[in-house]
mmCIF file of all heavy atoms in Angstrom:
data_model
loop_
_atom_site.group_PDB
_atom_site.id
_atom_site.type_symbol
_atom_site.label_atom_id
_atom_site.label_comp_id
_atom_site.label_asym_id
_atom_site.label_seq_id
_atom_site.Cartn_x
_atom_site.Cartn_y
_atom_site.Cartn_z
ATOM 1 N N ALA A 1 -53.969 -14.398 44.270
ATOM 2 C CA ALA A 1 -53.872 -12.987 44.019
ATOM 3 C C ALA A 1 -54.360 -12.195 45.206
ATOM 4 O O ALA A 1 -54.646 -11.070 45.166
ATOM 5 C CB ALA A 1 -54.558 -12.592 42.772
ATOM 6 N N SER A 2 -54.642 -12.792 46.399
ATOM 7 C CA SER A 2 -55.000 -12.061 47.551
ATOM 8 C C SER A 2 -53.837 -11.201 48.051
ATOM 9 O O SER A 2 -52.697 -11.528 47.696
ATOM 10 C CB SER A 2 -55.455 -13.023 48.723
ATOM 11 O OG SER A 2 -54.539 -13.966 49.037
ATOM 12 N N PRO A 3 -54.128 -10.215 48.781
ATOM 13 C CA PRO A 3 -53.041 -9.220 49.135
ATOM 14 C C PRO A 3 -51.830 -9.863 49.707
ATOM 15 O O PRO A 3 -50.612 -9.549 49.480
ATOM 16 C CB PRO A 3 -53.680 -8.227 50.105
ATOM 17 C CG PRO A 3 -55.111 -8.331 49.666
ATOM 18 C CD PRO A 3 -55.348 -9.693 49.224
ATOM 19 N N ASP A 4 -51.963 -10.953 50.562
ATOM 20 C CA ASP A 4 -50.862 -11.553 51.233
ATOM 21 C C ASP A 4 -50.011 -12.379 50.298
ATOM 22 O O ASP A 4 -48.946 -12.946 50.658
ATOM 23 C CB ASP A 4 -51.359 -12.304 52.436
ATOM 24 C CG ASP A 4 -52.269 -13.464 52.010
ATOM 25 O OD1 ASP A 4 -53.010 -13.295 51.111
ATOM 26 O OD2 ASP A 4 -52.318 -14.409 52.749
ATOM 27 N N LYS A 5 -50.537 -12.717 49.047
ATOM 28 C CA LYS A 5 -49.872 -13.529 48.084
ATOM 29 C C LYS A 5 -49.124 -12.651 47.097
ATOM 30 O O LYS A 5 -48.281 -13.217 46.296
ATOM 31 C CB LYS A 5 -50.710 -14.551 47.468
ATOM 32 C CG LYS A 5 -51.514 -15.436 48.406
ATOM 33 C CD LYS A 5 -50.632 -16.327 49.182
ATOM 34 C CE LYS A 5 -51.468 -17.174 50.086
ATOM 35 N NZ LYS A 5 -52.420 -18.072 49.455
ATOM 36 N N ASP A 6 -49.472 -11.358 47.089
ATOM 37 C CA ASP A 6 -48.713 -10.517 46.046
ATOM 38 C C ASP A 6 -47.334 -10.188 46.463
ATOM 39 O O ASP A 6 -47.137 -9.867 47.608
ATOM 40 C CB ASP A 6 -49.454 -9.071 46.005
ATOM 41 C CG ASP A 6 -49.111 -8.193 44.870
ATOM 42 O OD1 ASP A 6 -47.916 -8.098 44.648
ATOM 43 O OD2 ASP A 6 -49.999 -7.640 44.237
ATOM 44 N N LEU A 7 -46.433 -10.489 45.621
ATOM 45 C CA LEU A 7 -45.010 -10.281 45.912
ATOM 46 C C LEU A 7 -44.469 -8.838 46.141
ATOM 47 O O LEU A 7 -43.506 -8.568 46.596
ATOM 48 C CB LEU A 7 -44.146 -11.002 44.910
ATOM 49 C CG LEU A 7 -44.172 -12.533 44.909
ATOM 50 C CD1 LEU A 7 -43.224 -13.057 43.826
ATOM 51 C CD2 LEU A 7 -43.826 -13.057 46.273
ATOM 52 N N GLY A 8 -45.354 -7.888 45.704
ATOM 53 C CA GLY A 8 -45.093 -6.470 45.955
ATOM 54 C C GLY A 8 -44.101 -5.860 45.070
ATOM 55 O O GLY A 8 -43.229 -5.076 45.466
ATOM 56 N N ILE A 9 -44.005 -6.444 43.759
ATOM 57 C CA ILE A 9 -43.016 -6.028 42.830
ATOM 58 C C ILE A 9 -43.695 -5.584 41.571
ATOM 59 O O ILE A 9 -44.817 -6.078 41.204
ATOM 60 C CB ILE A 9 -41.934 -7.136 42.483
ATOM 61 C CG1 ILE A 9 -42.542 -8.451 42.054
ATOM 62 C CG2 ILE A 9 -41.062 -7.404 43.806
ATOM 63 C CD1 ILE A 9 -41.660 -9.584 41.671
ATOM 64 N N LEU A 10 -42.944 -4.688 40.808
ATOM 65 C CA LEU A 10 -43.371 -4.420 39.373
ATOM 66 C C LEU A 10 -42.263 -4.953 38.531
ATOM 67 O O LEU A 10 -41.067 -4.665 38.928
ATOM 68 C CB LEU A 10 -43.606 -2.996 39.341
ATOM 69 C CG LEU A 10 -44.851 -2.249 39.902
ATOM 70 C CD1 LEU A 10 -44.671 -0.752 39.677
ATOM 71 C CD2 LEU A 10 -46.046 -2.819 39.339
ATOM 72 N N VAL A 11 -42.735 -5.502 37.255
ATOM 73 C CA VAL A 11 -41.735 -5.902 36.446
ATOM 74 C C VAL A 11 -42.054 -5.346 35.033
ATOM 75 O O VAL A 11 -43.168 -5.271 34.587
ATOM 76 C CB VAL A 11 -41.836 -7.464 36.254
ATOM 77 C CG1 VAL A 11 -40.808 -8.054 35.290
ATOM 78 C CG2 VAL A 11 -41.443 -8.032 37.589
ATOM 79 N N ALA A 12 -41.126 -4.804 34.321
ATOM 80 C CA ALA A 12 -41.192 -4.267 32.863
ATOM 81 C C ALA A 12 -41.562 -5.367 32.057
ATOM 82 O O ALA A 12 -41.094 -6.536 32.219
ATOM 83 C CB ALA A 12 -39.959 -3.536 32.494
ATOM 84 N N PRO A 13 -42.441 -5.100 30.984
ATOM 85 C CA PRO A 13 -42.860 -6.311 30.112
ATOM 86 C C PRO A 13 -41.682 -7.040 29.512
ATOM 87 O O PRO A 13 -41.765 -8.228 29.343
ATOM 88 C CB PRO A 13 -43.606 -5.466 28.965
ATOM 89 C CG PRO A 13 -44.182 -4.331 29.690
ATOM 90 C CD PRO A 13 -43.158 -3.880 30.600
ATOM 91 N N GLY A 14 -40.560 -6.348 29.152
ATOM 92 C CA GLY A 14 -39.432 -7.078 28.583
ATOM 93 C C GLY A 14 -38.732 -8.034 29.593
ATOM 94 O O GLY A 14 -38.034 -8.863 29.075
ATOM 95 N N ASN A 15 -39.053 -7.816 30.849
ATOM 96 C CA ASN A 15 -38.418 -8.798 31.877
ATOM 97 C C ASN A 15 -39.395 -9.832 32.431
ATOM 98 O O ASN A 15 -39.047 -10.454 33.321
ATOM 99 C CB ASN A 15 -37.864 -7.915 32.982
ATOM 100 C CG ASN A 15 -36.728 -7.105 32.545
ATOM 101 O OD1 ASN A 15 -35.928 -7.444 31.718
ATOM 102 N ND2 ASN A 15 -36.736 -5.774 33.186
ATOM 103 N N LEU A 16 -40.609 -9.800 31.899
ATOM 104 C CA LEU A 16 -41.693 -10.576 32.374
ATOM 105 C C LEU A 16 -41.342 -12.172 32.422
ATOM 106 O O LEU A 16 -41.482 -12.838 33.430
ATOM 107 C CB LEU A 16 -42.996 -10.408 31.722
ATOM 108 C CG LEU A 16 -44.137 -11.236 32.106
ATOM 109 C CD1 LEU A 16 -44.530 -10.898 33.641
ATOM 110 C CD2 LEU A 16 -45.341 -10.974 31.226
ATOM 111 N N VAL A 17 -41.005 -12.617 31.354
ATOM 112 C CA VAL A 17 -40.743 -13.982 31.132
ATOM 113 C C VAL A 17 -39.663 -14.459 31.958
ATOM 114 O O VAL A 17 -39.726 -15.546 32.801
ATOM 115 C CB VAL A 17 -40.518 -14.559 29.664
ATOM 116 C CG1 VAL A 17 -40.033 -15.976 29.532
ATOM 117 C CG2 VAL A 17 -41.716 -14.257 28.789
ATOM 118 N N GLU A 18 -38.522 -13.812 32.038
ATOM 119 C CA GLU A 18 -37.384 -14.214 32.832
ATOM 120 C C GLU A 18 -37.751 -14.219 34.276
ATOM 121 O O GLU A 18 -37.317 -15.040 35.114
ATOM 122 C CB GLU A 18 -36.227 -13.255 32.609
ATOM 123 C CG GLU A 18 -35.583 -13.491 31.203
ATOM 124 C CD GLU A 18 -35.172 -14.890 30.926
ATOM 125 O OE1 GLU A 18 -34.835 -15.616 31.811
ATOM 126 O OE2 GLU A 18 -35.039 -15.182 29.723
ATOM 127 N N THR A 19 -38.553 -13.076 34.734
ATOM 128 C CA THR A 19 -38.925 -13.017 36.194
ATOM 129 C C THR A 19 -39.894 -14.192 36.525
ATOM 130 O O THR A 19 -39.697 -14.796 37.637
ATOM 131 C CB THR A 19 -39.679 -11.727 36.387
ATOM 132 O OG1 THR A 19 -38.900 -10.663 36.058
ATOM 133 C CG2 THR A 19 -40.098 -11.591 37.909
ATOM 134 N N MET A 20 -40.915 -14.546 35.624
ATOM 135 C CA MET A 20 -41.791 -15.704 36.028
ATOM 136 C C MET A 20 -40.976 -17.013 36.070
ATOM 137 O O MET A 20 -41.271 -17.891 36.968
ATOM 138 C CB MET A 20 -42.889 -15.699 35.035
ATOM 139 C CG MET A 20 -43.772 -14.500 35.028
ATOM 140 S SD MET A 20 -45.248 -14.690 34.148
ATOM 141 C CE MET A 20 -46.390 -15.540 35.252
ATOM 142 N N LEU A 21 -40.094 -17.228 35.141
ATOM 143 C CA LEU A 21 -39.279 -18.460 35.251
ATOM 144 C C LEU A 21 -38.439 -18.439 36.447
ATOM 145 O O LEU A 21 -38.392 -19.543 37.169
ATOM 146 C CB LEU A 21 -38.404 -18.538 33.994
ATOM 147 C CG LEU A 21 -39.033 -18.810 32.650
ATOM 148 C CD1 LEU A 21 -38.065 -18.689 31.403
ATOM 149 C CD2 LEU A 21 -39.765 -20.230 32.641
ATOM 150 N N ALA A 22 -37.921 -17.345 36.886
ATOM 151 C CA ALA A 22 -37.087 -17.328 38.106
ATOM 152 C C ALA A 22 -37.968 -17.602 39.307
ATOM 153 O O ALA A 22 -37.479 -18.249 40.317
ATOM 154 C CB ALA A 22 -36.391 -15.939 38.203
ATOM 155 N N THR A 23 -39.163 -17.081 39.251
ATOM 156 C CA THR A 23 -40.124 -17.264 40.447
ATOM 157 C C THR A 23 -40.391 -18.878 40.471
ATOM 158 O O THR A 23 -40.610 -19.363 41.616
ATOM 159 C CB THR A 23 -41.409 -16.551 40.193
ATOM 160 O OG1 THR A 23 -41.155 -15.219 40.009
ATOM 161 C CG2 THR A 23 -42.229 -16.754 41.385
ATOM 162 N N VAL A 24 -40.522 -19.524 39.355
ATOM 163 C CA VAL A 24 -40.914 -20.950 39.303
ATOM 164 C C VAL A 24 -39.536 -21.641 40.013
ATOM 165 O O VAL A 24 -39.838 -22.530 40.789
ATOM 166 C CB VAL A 24 -41.062 -21.476 37.914
ATOM 167 C CG1 VAL A 24 -41.096 -22.976 37.911
ATOM 168 C CG2 VAL A 24 -42.282 -20.908 37.290
ATOM 169 N N ARG A 25 -38.446 -21.240 39.549
ATOM 170 C CA ARG A 25 -37.301 -21.874 40.156
ATOM 171 C C ARG A 25 -37.176 -21.631 41.657
ATOM 172 O O ARG A 25 -36.759 -22.654 42.419
ATOM 173 C CB ARG A 25 -36.034 -21.270 39.444
ATOM 174 C CG ARG A 25 -35.982 -21.788 37.969
ATOM 175 C CD ARG A 25 -34.457 -21.535 37.383
ATOM 176 N NE ARG A 25 -34.073 -20.079 37.551
ATOM 177 C CZ ARG A 25 -34.295 -19.166 36.558
ATOM 178 N NH1 ARG A 25 -34.975 -19.508 35.514
ATOM 179 N NH2 ARG A 25 -33.893 -17.907 36.748
ATOM 180 N N VAL A 26 -37.466 -20.503 42.161
ATOM 181 C CA VAL A 26 -37.339 -20.139 43.604
ATOM 182 C C VAL A 26 -38.378 -21.082 44.262
ATOM 183 O O VAL A 26 -38.104 -21.699 45.344
ATOM 184 C CB VAL A 26 -37.575 -18.735 43.894
ATOM 185 C CG1 VAL A 26 -37.864 -18.531 45.303
ATOM 186 C CG2 VAL A 26 -36.446 -17.849 43.333
#
């Protein structure tokens, strides 16, 4: 969570799980 590791995005709660799973796949 240091500044250089923050992806710089905001995600609505309803999209949180899909976004985290997509990040794992990437």
Side-chain angles (χ1 to χ4, degrees):
S2 57
D4 59 330
K5 305 294 178 63
D6 192 317
L7 292 179
I9 57 177
L10 287 177
V11 178
N15 296 324
L16 176 62
V17 171
E18 294 301 336
T19 300
M20 296 192 81
L21 290 172
T23 308
V24 173
R25 295 194 298 271
V26 169

